[in-house]
Amino acid sequence: MKKRKLTPYVPLDADKAEGYARQFQKLIACPTVSVKGSHDDTEFAKFRSLLEAEFPLIHQHCEKLLFGDGCLMYKLKGSDESRNILLMSHHDVVAATEKENWTYPPFSGTIADDKVWGRGTQDTKGSLYGELAALEQLLGRGFKPKCNVWLGSSCNEETFGNGIPTARDWFVEQGITFDVILDEGGAVIDPPIGGMACTKCAMVAIHEKGIHDLILTTEAASSHGNLTGNRTGTPTERMAAFITAVRKKPPFIRRLNDQVKGMFAAMAPYAAAPMRLLLSNLWCFGPLLVKILPKLSAQAGGLVGTTVAFNDVVSSEKGLLCTAKVTLRSVDDRDVASDIESLKKVAVKYGVEVKLGDRQEFHAPADPTLPPFEILSDCVHEVFPDAPVVPYILPAGTDARTLTDVCRCVLRFAPIRMSKEQLGSIHGRDENIDISALGSCVAFYRRFLEHYEEVTV
């Protein structure tokens, strides 16, 4: 990636931002809370009606499709209908409880202190609003794209629901592929590591970690011929000893894969001298980083290999059986099979059996050498000129992960400028967004659509 000259940030659409905030608060005031295992469409139907009232040109010019329990897809036909791009953000939110003691009611959309407060302001009605407002404005100017423009929004992303996966299946059936898909994930945030000379970084996730569920079982009397290890202690004690051993010394491959190297390479030109030396010479300092990163934090350690989480450890009433669930988050699919085998070798020592669970997901990373990534970078530089673009691996899960079958360039970036406190408020107390950030968010999506019209990909 080429180094760009950084200049001070000036919020865009400042003259429209107050109007954006008043319109946006209506979206926040609609409590579209998704609940795993059930779906009540009452509030979601109100939300869809609200969008029709607030964005009439989109509903006039775009084809509207519904998938699953209410996943929205809008399609604006382009002059070349063989090409497609998709902007997406989900409109369901997690619950907000009284125990969280919000400063303002979580579904009020209160405007105060130059912010809009409420559940979903960051995750992800803020970016959804930016997409809708940008396209509505462009349609008002007679916008006619060269390729099909799709806007998508799931009603059950927070619960790993059927919305986007159902749409994906339909895309496959119809033979529809995309030049680029832009979903949530990264944002314009404080630098992820110290030693940077810039105050913000535009973090663009080009990959997210795979998810692999395992089931662990250990019994008082082994019925499994392959479990020849230590049988002393109760099943619960042996399970605890196994978990402790894995936590103390994870038996997984540790290395810097291509996406992590790309992240460090993108940060290097904007780092202060000592850090720049380290990041610019991975051929020399890479092995040192592999050892250091896991000691800095769990998130940093997750960049260099598979991470493990143990859940639902259950012992039978008489203590004759103990089970547990394991979730592995993998960086590289080449390492997963080896990592699972290494885990099994440790398990044998404690008389624990390891079986694969139902969820075995790994999705291909985006190719940042394709033109859409450069178009995105150009738009970031125009709207957030003080923030270098940094590709990275997202440790969480998004709807976008299921769409790599229909797109080689799935990018996860919400063009929202946020503080460390705002980032921490996601799924927590007092979630909020700066009014000025709404203006820049709308401006970003408008420029992205305008720029994409000018480029042949």
Side-chain angles (χ1 to χ4, degrees), residues 294-309:
K295 298 178 181 180
L296 297 179
S297 68
Q299 186 170 357
L303 293 174
V304 297
T306 299
T307 58
V308 59

Side-chain angles (χ1 to χ4, degrees), residues 179-221:
D179 291 354
V180 63
I181 294 175
L182 186 55
D183 192 14
E184 65 162 327
V188 183
I189 62 172
D190 294 352
I193 62 173
M196 297 295 292
C198 56
T199 58
K200 292 289 184 182
C201 288
M203 306 299 295
V204 179
I206 60 173
H207 186 29
E208 59 185 78
K209 301 187 75 172
I211 306 173
H212 308 272
D213 290 336
L214 306 175
I215 306 297
L216 306 180
T217 306
T218 183
E219 303 176 29

Side-chain angles (χ1 to χ4, degrees), residues 157-329:
E157 188 274 349
E158 295 288 3
T159 57
F160 290 86
N162 64 356
I164 292 298
T166 303
R168 182 271 322 278
D169 292 343
W170 183 81
F171 291 142
V172 172
E173 291 172 3
Q174 299 298 313
I176 295 172
T177 59
F178 296 88
D179 291 354
V180 63
I181 294 175
L182 186 55
D183 192 14
E184 65 162 327
V188 183
I189 62 172
D190 294 352
I193 62 173
M196 297 295 292
C198 56
T199 58
K200 292 289 184 182
C201 288
M203 306 299 295
V204 179
I206 60 173
H207 186 29
E208 59 185 78
K209 301 187 75 172
I211 306 173
H212 308 272
D213 290 336
L214 306 175
I215 306 297
L216 306 180
T217 306
T218 183
E219 303 176 29
S222 176
S223 59
H224 306 287
N226 63 327
L227 299 181
T228 57
N230 181 9
R231 308 298 297 171
T232 60
T234 68
T236 303
E237 289 171 339
R238 283 186 278 110
M239 184 70 77
F242 167 67
I243 293 173
T244 300
V246 172
R247 282 292 189 198
K248 185 176 182 180
K249 189 177 181 180
F252 307 128
I253 295 170
R254 292 285 179 259
R255 61 189 177 88
L256 298 181
N257 80 342
D258 292 341
Q259 289 78 42
V260 176
K261 290 178 181 178
M263 170 184 168
F264 289 146
M267 296 173 73
Y270 307 97
M275 183 60 69
R276 185 168 62 249
L277 177 66
L278 185 68
L279 299 181
S280 299
N281 295 278
L282 295 179
W283 62 271
C284 178
F285 297 111
L288 179 62
L289 282 171
V290 169
K291 292 182 179 180
I292 291 176
L293 286 173
K295 298 178 181 180
L296 297 179
S297 68
Q299 186 170 357
L303 293 174
V304 297
T306 299
T307 58
V308 59
F310 294 93
N311 303 292
D312 299 333
V313 180
V314 178
S315 182
S316 64
E317 184 177 348
K318 295 183 179 180
L320 301 178
L321 175 70
C322 185
T323 61
K325 295 180 181 179
V326 177
T327 299
L328 301 181
R329 300 302 304 267

Side-chain angles (χ1 to χ4, degrees), residues 7-23:
T7 58
Y9 166 71
V10 178
L12 299 183
D13 281 15
D15 57 329
K16 303 183 184 74
E18 289 289 345
Y20 292 158
R22 288 191 295 272
Q23 187 179 37

Side-chain angles (χ1 to χ4, degrees), residues 103-125:
T103 302
Y104 304 101
F107 294 106
S108 64
T110 297
I111 298 175
D113 303 321
D114 298 320
K115 305 177 191 297
V116 181
W117 301 76
R119 176 64 82 225
T121 48
Q122 296 284 355
D123 187 18
T124 60
K125 288 181 179 178

